[in-house]
Amino acid sequence: MRHRAIAYALLSAALFGASTPLAKIFVGSMAPLALAGLLYLGSGIGLAAWLALRRQFPRPRLTGLQFVWLAGAIVAGGMVGPALLMYGLARTDAASASLLLNLEAVMTAALAWVVFRENVDRRVFIGMAAIVAGGVVLSWQRAPHIGNIAGPALIASACLAWALDNNLTRRVSGGDAVAIAALKGLIAGGTNLGLALALGARLPAPGAIAAAGLVGLVGYGVSLVLFIMALRDLGTARTSAYFSIAPFFGAALALGLLGERPEAAFWIAAALMGLGVWLHLSERHEHDHVHEALAHTHEHVHDLHHRHSHEPTWDGREPHTHLHQHGRLRHRHPHYPDLHHRHGH
């Protein structure tokens, strides 16, 4: 399941990275905040339609404190982050902004390791550093000029908001990934678009709205669903590290669309990111650990951590989803900070 989660994280990064050069097509025809709203709304509406189509299939539901985590993630990542970024971009040159956006991965990992106590070792740390360094090289188009501190401070604050979003989303990653992403898209998209219209922005032609919505569905919605599914089995810091490769996919697509030859920085970034991914792929973490008693709902198969009974009506299909109880267990095996391994070290 770990390798499947890694594939989800990389595909999530590819879809989001590809959406960046595609979204730039619409920048000249609509206000940035309105574009952010349409991208999120396209994500929310498209995923909500999929939820309606599959309504006959039971899916995990959020309960109790999980709604607080989800609300915090929506506010931080869907509302506060985009707004701070738009105001920051208006006060910062493109090169500085590109470099500053690499702070999201660093802040996500720092919060995961320091605040939420996710385990980290030297290999994972070096891999994370290599991936971030690749992102810095890739975004270094020219010497950055910081100038007024307000712009960079706003962009850094946006990265902190998204880092908090990533860590809070981790807390609800056992829930229905499509429902979580749809709710975030609808609320954040509606808020951002409403704010843009209130500030005087105008909507573009219906064709442009539909096209932006489609880009948002794939690059934001499907990407977020895959990101949440990766969070379940990899933890926040590792998933964020894989997702940090998104600018590489965006740059590769841009080069393909424009027919340009990649410069040396592109290949240096590719090498650094490849090294970081390899260090994470080859990680092996094993020690005696204790699983405390726990009851929760998520998609699973009957592996080491799922040895429970079922009602006679169960059709034997796996993976499946239902409320299940975990008894206290102590054992040793290779593991990662997934839903069942949130212990201290």
Side-chain angles (χ1 to χ4, degrees):
M1 295 184 71
R2 170 175 171 257
H3 288 93
R4 184 181 69 173
I6 291 172
Y8 287 157
L10 292 175
L11 183 55
S12 172
L15 293 177
F16 182 77
S19 72
T20 301
L22 293 176
K24 287 182 179 179
I25 299 173
F26 308 104
V27 169
S29 61
M30 64 187 81
L33 195 57
L35 174 58
L38 289 174
L39 291 170
Y40 272 105
L41 267 182
S43 162
I45 294 172
L47 293 177
W50 171 244
L51 284 171
L53 289 174
R54 66 165 211 197
R55 63 185 181 278
Q56 67 272 28
F57 300 105
R59 288 295 187 272
R61 300 177 182 274
L62 301 179
T63 57
L65 190 59
Q66 291 180 319
F67 283 106
V68 178
W69 301 131
L70 179 57
I74 292 173
V75 171
M79 301 179 187
V80 177
L84 289 173
L85 177 63
M86 295 305 161
Y87 287 112
L89 288 175
R91 296 168 173 80
T92 311
D93 63 276
S96 299
S98 296
L99 290 174
L100 287 165
L101 287 173
N102 289 286
L103 288 173
E104 180 186 348
V106 177
M107 291 179 172
T108 296
L111 284 177
W113 295 335
V114 176
V115 178
F116 294 93
R117 298 299 181 183
E118 191 172 293
N119 74 288
V120 59
D121 56 24
R122 182 165 49 184
R123 188 182 195 88
V124 172
F125 180 82
I126 295 174
M128 182 71 181
I131 291 172
V132 172
V136 171
V137 171
L138 194 63
S139 58
W140 193 288
Q141 302 172 0
R142 58 184 175 85
H145 175 68
I146 297 298
N148 185 1
I149 195 63
L154 287 168
I155 294 176
S157 299
C159 291
L160 179 59
W162 284 320
L164 180 60
D165 170 22
N166 293 335
N167 279 277
L168 293 178
T169 301
R170 164 79 160 112
R171 312 294 292 186
V172 299
S173 59
D176 187 327
V178 179
I180 292 170
L183 190 61
K184 184 175 183 179
L186 291 171
I187 296 176
T191 301
N192 288 336
L193 184 59
L195 179 60
L197 294 176
L199 293 174
R202 293 185 178 182
L203 291 176
I209 293 176
L214 182 59
V215 171
L217 172 59
V218 177
Y220 285 57
V222 178
S223 175
L224 179 56
V225 170
L226 293 168
F227 185 85
I228 294 171
M229 294 170 70
L231 283 174
R232 298 172 182 171
D233 296 319
L234 299 177
T236 312
R238 289 160 179 80
T239 302
S240 178
Y242 291 119
F243 191 79
S244 298
I245 302 173
F248 174 79
F249 290 112
L253 179 62
L255 290 171
L257 291 176
L258 298 176
E260 297 177 354
R261 297 182 61 182
E263 298 179 353
F266 179 87
W267 298 113
I268 294 172
L272 287 168
M273 290 178 171
L275 172 63
V277 170
W278 176 78
L279 287 170
H280 280 225
L281 285 172
S282 56
E283 175 195 6
R284 183 178 177 87
H285 181 76
E286 182 175 353
H287 60 88
D288 284 328
H289 56 277
V290 175
H291 298 264
E292 299 297 340
L294 172 68
H296 63 173
T297 303
H298 67 96
E299 184 181 65
H300 64 278
V301 297
H302 288 166
D303 55 16
L304 282 172
H305 304 99
H306 299 90
R307 295 177 174 175
H308 47 259
S309 59
H310 288 80
E311 297 294 329
T313 55
W314 178 48
D315 60 7
R317 184 173 6 181
E318 292 185 347
H320 56 218
T321 301
H322 61 88
L323 178 65
H324 55 279
Q325 178 75 41
H326 295 271
R328 193 175 189 275
L329 173 67
R330 183 184 185 93
H331 62 175
R332 179 188 183 97
H333 65 93
H335 63 278
Y336 306 90
D338 56 29
L339 285 176
H340 301 98
H341 297 90
R342 295 176 175 175
H343 49 261
H345 290 78

